[in-house]
Amino acid sequence: MFKGLKPIVYGGREVWPLIEGGKGVAVSNHMSSGAWAAAGGIGTVSAVNADSYDADGNPIPQIYHGRTRPLRHEELIQYAIDGAVEQVKRAFEIAGGKGAININVLWEMGGAQRVLQGVLERTKGMIAGVTCGAGMPYKLSEIAAEHDVNYLPIVSSGRAFRALWKRAYNKAAEWLAAVVYEDPWLAGGHNGLSNAEDPTKPEPPYARVKALRDTMREGGISDDVPIVMAGGVWYLRDWNDWIDNPELGAIAFQFGTRPLLTQESPIPQAWKDELTKLDEGDILLHKFSPTGFYSSAIRNPFLRNLEARSERQIAFSLEQAGDHTHQLDVGVKGKNFWVTRGDLIRAREWFGHGFTSALKTPDNTVVFVTDEEKAIVRKDQADCMGCLSHCGFSAWKDHDDFSTGRLADPRSFCIQKTLQDAVHGGPVDDNLLFAGHGAYQFKKDPFYSNGFVPTVGQLVDRILTGN
């Protein structure tokens, strides 16, 4: 028997402890988040390069005119602020005084602090709180307090929260509204899986959330400050033991994947159709993202191509040494590529199959790609608009000399390009489609039988039944 949820007080009013997971680029927009708030929950506008609109209501393409990366980066920041402000205003109107509106920012996005400041300055009284992850957002509490809004850091371990609390958050404790625990093995998008954890060995969330609560108690944080369980949440009935559990304190729940398949969801129909075809295991936890973080997305041809590219990879030495006794004679110019005999044979095979260009990586390896792929990689790297604070793919950095000092990595991709294309109708097979590992439930859950696509309101009502 499902216990049911009790409302909590947030942003000055009673709301359901149900948070819409923020999804950029432009996926958690005003339609989705406004409707989630109107249903009594906490809607989340993604402030990661959200859409602005022209006079006819059409999204304004984010085209860059600057001749250098720093100039394009300035354009990107302005697009990000203008888009998020527009989305927040529209979401606030749709909410109609119900629920609450949060914004979500990626701490590793380029110019994150400037974007956050710019959005909060122009949306006073509309935003209840800021969720923020993908990095260690030490400045989040300070910026939130400055604008009298709540902050909800996203972490994947008690250890990460302890570092944030000790360094910064204890100075603005009154604005800490909740701590989001994002299960790194189950959540969609980027996550906080650390080098100490094994991506192939998921750890059950209960013990990790209990450890997070213990860490919060050490800091003197009340059990009334909720921990928001994010990642792998589908049926609330499965979390019955978590509700009203004194070991865990107050618990709320975040849904990122389920809101993708609603009438208000702005993603293209082809993307929605893909969600209904997934089987268990069709979501890939991978490390191809140029952020350097692990992330989870649909294992479609786009990701399979990146997997295959990394498999067509061999190590090289600049001089003959050890078992690197053969000069690579395909895919490269010059004679400073010494490889093993076995790798030379493999490289010649790849070359024979049309992978005729070898691109150097930062790790003293080369990957073999087609000439067409090489042209795309080089163009995307050259067109970089600085959407991340540090980008592995283009070697961009958003401060100092604007370079990470490392070789640009062809095993990755331009994330801004593919996410913009995906949400604005680009081919689903050719783009990154973030989703949580529970997305296979769309195919199994009777709620979606016969092609039913709910409104956000219908989805929230369904969630509240425990089903």
Side-chain angles (χ1 to χ4, degrees):
M1 179 79 181
F2 177 55
K3 290 177 184 173
L5 292 179
K6 302 184 188 74
I8 60 172
V9 176
Y10 178 72
R13 61 171 67 99
E14 278 199 346
V15 301
W16 292 115
L18 302 176
I19 298 178
E20 176 193 21
K23 298 172 290 296
V25 167
V27 171
S28 300
N29 77 350
H30 67 278
M31 294 186 292
S32 179
S33 55
W36 194 274
I42 301 171
T44 304
V45 167
S46 171
V48 182
N49 286 96
D51 283 335
S52 300
Y53 304 98
D54 61 22
D56 297 322
N58 299 310
I60 297 171
Q62 296 189 10
I63 298 169
Y64 297 87
H65 304 284
R67 294 177 65 86
T68 65
R69 287 179 175 185
L71 288 175
R72 294 193 292 272
H73 177 63
E74 291 300 316
E75 294 177 74
L76 174 124
I77 287 174
Q78 199 56 55
Y79 276 133
I81 294 171
D82 291 345
V85 168
E86 178 70 20
Q87 296 296 332
V88 167
K89 288 178 176 177
R90 291 182 177 218
F92 188 77
E93 192 174 311
I94 291 170
K98 296 175 183 170
I101 298 292
N102 281 352
I103 60 171
N104 174 252
V105 292
L106 204 75
W107 198 247
E108 282 297 314
M109 71 186 192
Q113 294 181 49
R114 290 173 60 192
V115 172
L116 187 52
Q117 290 276 19
V119 175
L120 292 175
E121 283 165 6
R122 289 169 53 185
T123 54
K124 294 202 180 297
M126 300 181 196
I127 293 171
V130 182
T131 57
C132 182
M136 291 294 277
Y138 291 109
K139 291 269 189 183
L140 175 63
S141 55
E142 181 185 322
I143 296 170
E146 181 186 333
H147 293 278
D148 295 343
V149 300
N150 297 297
Y151 64 102
L152 304 84
I154 303 171
V155 298
S156 291
S157 68
R159 185 178 65 254
F161 180 75
R162 179 181 285 110
L164 291 166
W165 177 257
K166 286 189 171 179
R167 180 165 163 183
Y169 293 178
N170 69 86
K171 302 182 186 77
E174 66 272 27
W175 296 104
L176 178 67
V179 178
V180 182
Y181 171 77
E182 184 177 59
D183 188 311
W185 291 277
L186 293 176
H190 292 100
N191 64 65
L193 196 69
S194 75
N195 292 330
E197 291 151 338
D198 188 336
T200 66
K201 294 179 180 173
E203 296 178 19
Y206 188 95
R208 293 171 67 92
V209 171
K210 169 67 167 58
L212 172 58
R213 176 61 75 188
D214 290 343
T215 301
M216 292 168 68
R217 286 167 179 154
E218 286 170 20
I221 301 168
S222 168
D223 276 13
D224 294 333
V225 175
I227 292 174
V228 182
M229 179 61 211
V233 182
W234 194 272
Y235 301 114
L236 285 185
R237 65 180 188 234
D238 295 337
W239 304 84
N240 222 19
D241 294 344
W242 291 50
I243 299 167
D244 300 329
N245 183 331
E247 262 198 338
L248 299 179
I251 292 288
F253 296 93
Q254 179 168 298
F255 292 84
T257 298
R258 290 193 76 169
L260 288 170
L261 192 57
T262 64
Q263 292 180 30
E264 291 89 345
S265 168
I267 65 174
Q269 187 59 47
W271 188 346
K272 292 181 179 180
D273 292 343
E274 284 299 300
L275 293 170
T276 65
K277 302 173 189 171
L278 297 172
D279 293 313
E280 195 165 1
D282 282 349
I283 304 299
L284 181 68
L285 175 61
H286 65 89
K287 212 176 182 184
F288 296 117
S289 169
T291 61
F293 293 116
Y294 280 95
S295 63
S296 290
I298 295 174
R299 194 180 181 197
N300 62 355
F302 176 85
L303 273 187
R304 289 181 186 276
N305 181 52
L306 288 168
E307 288 180 280
R309 182 183 301 173
S310 278
E311 286 165 8
R312 293 190 304 273
Q313 179 172 198
I314 57 174
F316 69 90
S317 301
L318 295 174
E319 53 191 36
Q320 188 173 358
D323 57 356
H324 285 217
T325 53
H326 291 67
Q327 285 189 334
L328 185 61
D329 57 8
V330 291
V332 295
K333 293 176 181 175
K335 297 185 177 181
N336 290 330
F337 295 86
W338 292 88
V339 298
T340 66
R341 181 177 181 278
D343 283 346
L344 176 62
I345 293 169
R346 293 165 69 210
R348 287 172 175 171
E349 285 178 0
W350 296 328
F351 189 89
H353 286 119
F355 301 103
T356 52
S357 291
L359 302 179
K360 282 200 285 189
T361 79
D363 301 318
N364 289 331
T365 65
V366 288
V367 291
F368 279 77
V369 298
T370 64
D371 288 346
E372 181 186 10
E373 283 180 313
K374 176 184 176 179
I376 292 169
V377 166
R378 293 296 185 234
K379 184 177 190 315
D380 287 351
Q381 288 171 334
D383 290 346
C384 172
M385 73 297 287
C387 75
L388 299 174
S389 66
H390 297 77
C391 176
F393 176 68
S394 69
W396 154 269
K397 182 175 68 176
D398 72 355
H399 53 283
D400 299 334
D401 62 355
F402 303 111
S403 170
T404 63
R406 285 172 62 79
L407 197 64
D409 196 337
R411 295 168 296 188
S412 188
F413 56 91
C414 176
I415 196 164
Q416 181 74 205
K417 172 189 169 184
T418 186
L419 292 180
Q420 290 282 1
D421 197 37
V423 79
H424 295 117
V428 292
D429 282 350
D430 299 341
N431 284 299
L432 182 69
L433 307 178
F434 281 138
H437 289 256
Y440 69 92
Q441 297 275 17
F442 284 123
K443 195 175 181 180
K444 297 175 65 176
D445 188 337
F447 185 53
Y448 301 96
S449 58
N450 301 314
F452 177 67
V453 177
T455 64
V456 168
Q458 288 171 324
L459 174 59
V460 171
D461 286 346
R462 174 75 171 191
I463 288 168
L464 285 167
T465 68
N467 295 317

